[in-house]
Amino acid sequence: MPSVTQEEAKSPPPAAARRSPGWFARVMDHDLTASFLASRVTVLAALVTLALAVLALFAPLIAPYNPFDPAQVFLIDSLNPPRWLPAGDARFLLGTDDQGRDLFSAILYGLRVSLIIGVLGVLMAAAIGITLGLVAGYVGGRVDAVIMRIADVQLTFPAILIALLVDGVVHALLKGASREDTAFGVLVFSIGLSFWVQYARTIRGSTLVEKNKDYIQAARLVGLSPIVIMARHVLPNVIGPVLVILTINLGLAVITEATLSFLGVGLPPTQPSLGTLIRIGNDYLFSGEWWIVAFPGLTLAALVLAVNLLGDWLRDALNPKLR
Amino acid sequence: MLAFIIRRLVQSIGVLLAVAFIAFAMFRFVGDPVNQIVSIEASAEERAQIRESLGLNDPFVVQFARYVGRAATLDFGISYQFRQPVTKLLGERMPATLELALVSAVFALVVGIPMGVYTALRRDSWLAKLFQAVSLVGVSLPTFLIGILLIYVFAVTLGWLPSFGRGEVVRLGDWWTTGFLTTSGLRALILPSITLGLFQMTLIMRLVRAEMLEVLRTDYIKFARARGLTRRAINFGHALKNTLVPVITITGLQLGSIIAFAIITETVFQWPGMGVLFLQAVQNVDIPIMAAYLLLIAFLFVVINLAVDLLYAVVDPRLKVTVRAA
Amino acid sequence: MTEPVLSVRDLKVQFVTRRGVLKAIDGVSFDIAPGEVLGVVGESGAGKSVTGSAVIGLIEPPGRIAGGEIRLKGERIDNLAPEAMRRVRGKRIGMIFQDPLTSLNPLYTVGEQLVETIRTHLPLSAGQARRRAIDLLAEVGIPAPDRRIDGYPHEFSGGMRQRVVIALALSAEPELVIADEPTTALDVSVQAQIITLIKRLCAERGTAVMLVTHDMGVIAETADRVAVMYSGRIVEIGPVRDVVKHPLHPYAVGLMGAIPSLETHADRLVQIRGSMPRLSAIPPGCAFHPRCERAFARCAVDRPEPLDRDRRKVACHLYDEAHAEIAS
């Protein structure tokens, strides 16, 4: 008799098997596809996102110069305007920055850095949030209370402030290391710690619902460890909405990274992200070198706007109440 | 009612203590308080002596209690960078930040609420669609980019408004300085407050719109229509009032975060406020300032929250204050 | 016969969706005489409530009135401009909704909502309107109305709130009241009181009532005539005694069989097999034929039109003289 139940519990429970693709199927359901195609803006946003992602991914192949290679950068080329202006230099499509780096190449590399940090930061936030949410919802009691109170207190502060604090504290702890070596990791860490709350709340909510269902009770009766139950049985059934939060948060994460870099606590000028480039350009705005700020700014705005449009559409399409 | 206020007060104190704990942990363990006092050349013995005299060898709880006690009397220690009391440094810069935040908040509310109402009521008009598009851009554009854009257009190109600083300020009383009383002070406020308020404005607009659409679908609005009330009475008498009740709460939270968001705006406009000070502290690992700023923001948040709760109780006769989620 | 208060002819209401046009109401005709109570019954989704909303002009997009006409005392109201229709609502047609808990705005006192309605439709001063509001509350059976008038809706029980809703519906002396499932959301113990109250108040004022419900018991006790709806059409309409005692349409027969009765002893209540089709999949011919035990070939092809049969109308081929022999 126990062996039979064990068998049942080992293979994914029927409810889980049905519900998890059920959500996925709903994504693919033609209501969603239709609303996607019905909105030209959304299609355009998807195309822009895709194009920027491809540009970022293949930056080393597409960019005419490697802005990080000192052998290719000469100070004498600094502050060249874009090619089509009278003073422009044919070698530099969008002009150069203050150190003579080709702006177009720098933007591609900067986009790459911004996207990678954004994606890693959001994934880290999701990992923290999902874990804490699962534990809070499944274990309940005191653990739940502590985790959710921490979440409440953190919500008191805007993410950018948390990120700044984490940045400051981590640099204080890593006294010896220079910003150049640690900036990348610290940024990912700051973003991860700033955005986990939403995942935790969502996951906790659905875990509370899910944990009282029969298949979880069965898995518990069989004596599976709580960790196995959470990871193998609860998680697949509550993970759905995370996709929406991921998309919406990606735009925020990219903004946060850009803001930190702009404020001078993110990536240093030697390995610029879009935010760093804008920071550099801002210093030259008054002397008329507008292009250093304009093109990175446009790229950043296009990226965030496109990602946000996708996120908005996804949220509305999956939440018919708002239509 | 009284019980409700007391419960809220206790919760607020809990939040403040939690934040104070984090601030203390930063203060005590991340930064080394001894560094506040001694020069870099001080010997190990000197340091140990000071350590003892500062009570850093006392039990953890005692030290925490002492920190909270000092914070309550506005003593946050000495800044590493400036070698001056943190309280004095923050105090000097507070009027600039608060005036900027106040003007931004008023701008966000005065523009955001009508735009939200309009987009909800005239969902299909081109103006509503324009507002929606603007709001999306407002949410998507990073604050610093908006600031740079405004500076480029109105300060660099057109030369209409100043691009940095507070303009001429007038001293009021012992420590407050205001830019409200001079033309240059008022002109200097315009671009920064638009920059800072724009994001909140779009959030408020979107929130009001979503809430209003929700309310317009309720039974009592349908019943109000069935009673033959005029469109104006339904939209502004019934729907708007019901919309604003939940909006108050979330807007309150948003306004609290304006002060923290001011960090970015102050940097772009070289506004001599607390945000710039905090940013310098982060760059230079000036822990006492970071800890004090954190506590200050938490305190403001708690105060705003309490005010919002009281307002809520006044507006909603049910006083059905559910625990606010998010 | 006197001129009917309400006269609906061949009313059609459609909902335009991405998947096509859904016919929520497809050719409904009926009259309500002054002071008469017309019960409208049917399963949920049969189009009862949509009919009520159409009459009071509250069909909202994507829904629209796609055909037919609605006359109030002979005057056409289905094509009125929004502002003119607004003046009809509340003034000439009152409406009572299903759920009293959500029908009242929680942020205004009962009195504020009454005074607001009264002053919208009648030229009264604030003081006069308030006195009238107190009178109305007394009439609907709210104790201590001069005190309760300043209470907020959440201070009233469900039954009391529905009384307030009735007072609101009657506040401008309408000629017709549409009561859409007025008792469904209430405790069983107060349902009868509310129905009696509506019936008494309307009888006193000579107000006609369109009583939408799925509760045949309520209809049998309250209505003068009854219309049975199925899939957006009226399948049978006539005096309540006739229809309840001797229903003609097979669907009505099934529906009446589902009422428990003390007079006739039945071992088990009759059940209609199957369920009503969704609006997106209404079968051709008679919409009821897949569930009908007496269906024959013609029912699947030919849509039955309402036939006069004594004092009632039935939409069923069984009663078409030309095909009577097939039926028997």
Side-chain angles (χ1 to χ4, degrees), chain B residues 219 225 227-228 237-238 242, chain C residues 86 102 105 108 116-117 121:
Chain B
D219 280 356
R225 284 206 191 103
R227 284 189 275 146
H238 287 262
N242 290 273
Chain C
R86 177 188 69 73
T102 57
N105 189 332
Y108 288 94
E116 178 185 32
T117 314
H121 298 295

Side-chain angles (χ1 to χ4, degrees), chain C residues 35-169:
Chain C
E36 181 184 59
V37 179
L38 174 75
V40 180
V41 283
E43 292 164 68
S44 11
K48 311 175 303 252
S49 294
V50 179
T51 308
S53 299
V55 168
I56 201 166
L58 284 179
I59 300 276
E60 278 171 53
R64 63 190 169 97
I65 294 183
E69 51 180 63
I70 302 168
R71 285 174 190 276
L72 185 66
K73 286 258 173 77
E75 177 197 343
R76 221 172 139 179
I77 57 167
D78 57 294
N79 54 2
L80 284 181
E83 179 57 20
M85 190 62 212
R86 177 188 69 73
R87 288 176 203 281
V88 171
R89 279 199 292 272
K91 174 81 186 83
R92 300 185 60 193
I93 307 178
M95 185 143 186
I96 300 166
F97 279 116
Q98 175 173 355
D99 189 353
L101 299 183
T102 57
S103 292
L104 299 170
N105 189 332
L107 299 188
Y108 288 94
T109 63
V110 161
E112 282 166 345
Q113 302 189 45
L114 271 162
V115 167
E116 178 185 32
T117 314
I118 293 167
R119 296 196 68 196
T120 301
H121 298 295
L122 304 174
L124 295 181
S125 71
Q128 291 168 319
R130 187 179 161 87
R131 236 162 292 134
R132 187 180 164 87
I134 293 173
D135 291 346
L136 275 164
L137 288 178
E139 264 194 278
V140 295
I142 305 250
D146 47 342
R147 201 164 44 75
R148 300 287 278 167
I149 189 168
D150 294 319
Y152 285 95
H154 71 275
E155 295 163 351
F156 290 71
S157 69
M160 283 296 153
R161 276 194 235 185
Q162 194 65 310
R163 286 170 192 266
V164 173
V165 169
I166 292 168
L168 278 162

Side-chain angles (χ1 to χ4, degrees), chain A:
Chain A
M1 187 53 190
S3 68
V4 177
T5 4
Q6 189 110 36
E7 206 57 44
E8 272 175 12
K10 255 186 195 164
S11 60
R18 237 179 295 123
R19 294 209 54 206
S20 163
W23 189 86
F24 190 71
R26 218 163 58 227
V27 175
M28 292 301 133
D29 179 72
H30 60 280
D31 255 7
L32 197 82
T33 321
S35 84
F36 180 80
L37 294 175
S39 161
R40 260 176 291 170
V41 178
T42 310
V43 176
L44 189 70
L47 288 178
V48 170
T49 311
L50 197 68
L52 289 175
V54 168
L55 282 178
L57 201 62
F58 297 107
L61 300 177
I62 301 169
Y65 302 90
N66 180 353
F68 302 123
D69 181 0
Q72 294 185 25
V73 177
F74 302 99
L75 215 52
I76 199 165
D77 292 327
S78 66
L79 303 177
N80 265 316
R83 194 197 297 184
W84 59 87
L85 291 183
D89 186 318
R91 289 173 297 157
F92 308 113
L93 177 63
L94 301 178
T96 56
D97 71 358
D98 61 331
Q99 299 173 35
R101 288 182 293 208
D102 173 43
L103 202 55
F104 179 61
S105 307
I107 288 174
L108 289 186
Y109 277 87
L111 182 66
R112 184 181 163 89
V113 173
S114 293
L115 260 179
I116 291 174
I117 290 179
V119 168
L120 288 181
V122 164
L123 287 180
M124 181 172 161
I128 299 174
I130 291 170
T131 312
L132 290 180
L134 262 182
V135 171
Y138 189 80
V139 178
R142 230 167 231 208
V143 178
D144 181 27
V146 169
I147 292 178
M148 291 333 280
R149 280 302 81 71
I150 294 176
D152 285 346
V153 173
Q154 174 155 351
L155 270 186
T156 311
F157 303 100
I160 186 77
L161 183 60
I162 304 277
L164 275 170
L165 277 173
V166 172
D167 185 276
V169 168
V170 172
H171 280 298
L173 293 174
L174 304 170
K175 274 184 199 97
S178 72
R179 274 197 190 271
E180 317 225 333
D181 301 331
T182 55
F184 192 93
V186 172
L187 277 173
V188 172
F189 190 69
S190 310
I191 293 172
L193 279 188
S194 310
F195 287 101
W196 63 274
V197 174
Q198 211 182 348
Y199 300 92
R201 288 181 163 227
T202 312
I203 292 284
R204 173 179 174 271
S206 16
T207 302
L208 284 178
V209 175
E210 212 65 26
K211 89 171 178 191
N212 292 320
K213 294 205 174 147
D214 288 345
Y215 71 93
I216 297 296
Q217 304 290 3
R220 219 180 294 184
L221 282 177
V222 176
L224 292 183
S225 83
I227 293 175
V228 173
I229 297 179
M230 279 190 260
R232 292 263 319 271
H233 300 296
V234 181
L235 188 59
N237 288 311
V238 297
I239 198 92
V242 166
L243 182 66
V244 179
I245 309 181
L246 274 177
T247 320
I248 292 175
N249 273 1
L250 181 59
L252 280 174
V254 170
I255 288 189
T256 304
E257 182 278 318
T259 305
L260 290 177
S261 293
F262 174 80
L263 293 177
V265 294
L267 287 165
T270 46
Q271 35 177 318
S273 74
L274 292 175
T276 321
L277 289 174
I278 295 170
R279 175 187 174 78
I280 297 169
N282 193 32
D283 294 339
Y284 291 90
L285 200 58
F286 284 91
S287 47
E289 282 93 11
W290 52 268
W291 56 91
I292 311 178
V293 80
F295 297 116
L298 274 178
T299 315
L300 179 65
L303 175 66
V304 176
L305 189 60
V307 170
N308 278 355
L309 279 168
L310 279 183
D312 273 11
W313 158 77
L314 202 58
R315 185 195 53 206
D316 293 351
L318 293 179
N319 186 357
K321 203 180 81 170
L322 292 172
R323 263 189 290 181

